[in-house]
Amino acid sequence: MTRTPAQPHPLAEYADRIDAAKVYTLRQVAELLELAPSSVSGMARYGWLPGSRMKPHRRGGRTYTWTGKQLLRLAARPIRVRYDHERYAPSTLYRVGCRCPACVRAHSADSQERKRALADEAFPEEKRARLVALVEDAMPVAEAAAEVDVTMGQVYGRATWDAAFAEELDEAAWSLCVLGQDDPACSTAAGYRGKPGGASPRPACRGTGCREWRRGQAQLERADAAAA
């Protein structure tokens, strides 16, 4: 257990985002601090967020609330914390300065969980199923994304960590194959780039085979750049 000198309150960095006239719930403070609600609940229990009030929650139980003025006062007040890993959650200790391996890992996991929760909210299962169905019907991914009101970044960002969704999207996107899976040019540079001119013009292919070729090329390019 290590005692640290007085340091800025975790709210200090976010003071310019606090509305003095607003009332904040625990979840809203967690969103402000970019922490899991459980970490903010720990801060409240350990006295780092005094002055809260408890009010009934619409789903049952009770929840903490703070006024914006209270949060601004706390943001201006330095705190002194002992890095007590038996008492405090590692992600909470990371927020107040501990950089031991356990706290760094917890912070990374907490950040990932929060980002994925936001991704689920913006691109929920119903939208994902609808997008896959549209692509299966040969609608380009960009058009399908616009149809369900998400961005291409949200679609392919999800595919980087959601293996089940990535597999569904890849399977559906075979419908976009310009040449056909059995054509020798499928999954090649020629297939991906298409043939814009000449006697037999052909559009660029964004079917699964050609996208897999492009992904492989991108990996090789990154490896070559790193080795240079």
Side-chain angles (χ1 to χ4, degrees), residues 11 22-33 35-37 40-41 44 49 52-58 62-68 70-71:
L11 284 166
K22 183 176 175 180
V23 175
Y24 289 81
T25 64
L26 185 145
R27 185 168 294 277
Q28 288 171 324
V29 174
E31 291 173 358
L32 176 71
L33 289 171
L35 285 173
V40 176
S41 179
L49 294 170
S52 64
R53 293 187 176 183
M54 297 290 288
K55 73 172 186 178
H57 192 278
R58 60 187 176 84
R62 301 178 72 81
T63 185
Y64 294 99
T65 65
W66 296 263
T67 66
Q70 286 175 315
L71 295 180

Side-chain angles (χ1 to χ4, degrees), residues 10 19 43-44 57 77 146 156 175 182 185 202 204 209 219 224:
D19 182 349
M43 287 183 176
H57 192 278
R77 186 184 303 167
Y156 288 116
S175 69
D182 297 328
R202 185 180 70 248
Q219 290 172 355
D224 289 344

Side-chain angles (χ1 to χ4, degrees), residues 6-12 47-51 70-80:
Q7 57 192 295
H9 193 281
L11 284 166
W48 301 357
L49 294 170
Q70 286 175 315
L71 295 180
L72 286 169
R73 283 197 296 269
L74 292 172
R77 186 184 303 167
I79 61 172
R80 191 185 301 275

Side-chain angles (χ1 to χ4, degrees), residues 20-150:
K22 183 176 175 180
V23 175
Y24 289 81
T25 64
L26 185 145
R27 185 168 294 277
Q28 288 171 324
V29 174
E31 291 173 358
L32 176 71
L33 289 171
E34 301 177 335
L35 285 173
S38 58
S39 293
V40 176
S41 179
M43 287 183 176
R45 288 196 307 272
Y46 303 144
W48 301 357
L49 294 170
S52 64
R53 293 187 176 183
M54 297 290 288
K55 73 172 186 178
H57 192 278
R58 60 187 176 84
R59 294 183 180 177
R62 301 178 72 81
T63 185
Y64 294 99
T65 65
W66 296 263
T67 66
K69 287 183 179 179
Q70 286 175 315
L71 295 180
L72 286 169
R73 283 197 296 269
L74 292 172
R77 186 184 303 167
I79 61 172
R80 191 185 301 275
V81 181
R82 290 180 182 272
Y83 294 160
D84 186 344
H85 290 80
E86 293 184 2
R87 183 181 184 190
Y88 301 118
S91 57
T92 302
L93 288 175
Y94 180 93
R95 177 62 66 184
V96 292
C98 185
R99 294 297 183 268
C100 74
C103 289
V104 170
R105 286 195 301 270
H107 171 72
S108 297
D110 190 65
S111 296
Q112 184 181 76
E113 180 183 351
R114 182 178 56 81
K115 288 175 183 176
R116 290 185 177 181
L118 291 173
D120 274 335
E121 185 176 335
F123 190 19
E125 184 177 355
E126 296 80 6
K127 284 190 175 185
R128 298 196 299 272
R130 175 64 177 152
L131 180 136
V132 168
L134 291 170
V135 175
E136 283 178 340
D137 287 339
M139 180 180 286
V141 177
E143 293 180 21
E147 182 71 20
V148 301
D149 195 27
V150 295

